[in-house]
Amino acid sequence: MSEGAERLLAGLTCRIATRDAQRKWAIGNWFSDPLMRPGWLGDQGEDRYKKQLQGSGHQWTFRWNDFPYVEDVVASLTAPLIGVSGAIARDADDHFEVRLGGATLRLDGQRAPMQRESEVAP
């Protein structure tokens, strides 16, 4: 495993219970939404526990099918102050990539539903 990949993967575990002070994202220990956003993920039975990490060297992929939303994970890894220093994200439409140096962590998780205008703060 490359050093950059090691830092990105360590970033996932170090941020397992984090949430943004402005309540824009939260990780929730990978099973719940501490922000209790309405209309977001509900109970999906045993399938919610499916998570898979695979890769080697500079290229790693993490897949999961329940909370947290992929945007929340990306934010936790790239946010000012709490993010992994130097990490940048790219939205590739069907997944996100977080890069650090030559390392890439592909994140395949559920996307957050689009917010309705009535849910957006003024």
Side-chain angles (χ1 to χ4, degrees):
M1 179 183 302
S2 70
E3 181 181 334
E6 186 175 343
R7 286 185 55 213
L8 288 172
L9 294 174
L12 288 175
T13 58
C14 290
R15 288 158 181 81
I16 195 166
T18 56
R19 74 174 157 198
D20 178 51
Q22 283 78 46
R23 302 181 56 83
K24 293 180 182 177
W25 57 265
I27 303 301
N29 293 305
W30 293 88
F31 64 83
S32 67
D33 183 5
L35 302 179
M36 297 172 40
R37 295 169 277 197
W40 292 45
L41 287 174
D43 184 13
Q44 296 180 2
E46 291 300 311
D47 285 345
R48 71 178 170 222
Y49 299 113
K50 291 185 180 178
K51 295 168 181 63
Q52 179 184 43
L53 175 66
Q54 64 184 53
S56 65
H58 293 295
Q59 304 294 321
W60 288 81
T61 299
F62 185 45
R63 291 182 177 91
W64 69 99
N65 60 346
D66 198 48
F67 196 80
Y69 291 109
V70 68
E71 294 90 348
D72 289 5
V73 175
V74 169
S76 76
L77 293 172
T78 59
L81 303 177
I82 194 170
V84 175
S85 180
I88 57 169
R90 180 178 83 85
D91 185 346
D93 291 327
D94 66 336
H95 68 277
F96 275 88
E97 293 178 353
V98 178
R99 297 179 182 168
L100 182 62
T104 301
L105 175 59
R106 178 184 170 134
L107 299 168
D108 286 327
Q110 290 190 20
R111 290 186 178 253
M114 297 292 290
Q115 283 188 322
R116 295 183 296 253
E117 253 183 68
S118 61
E119 294 177 309
V120 177

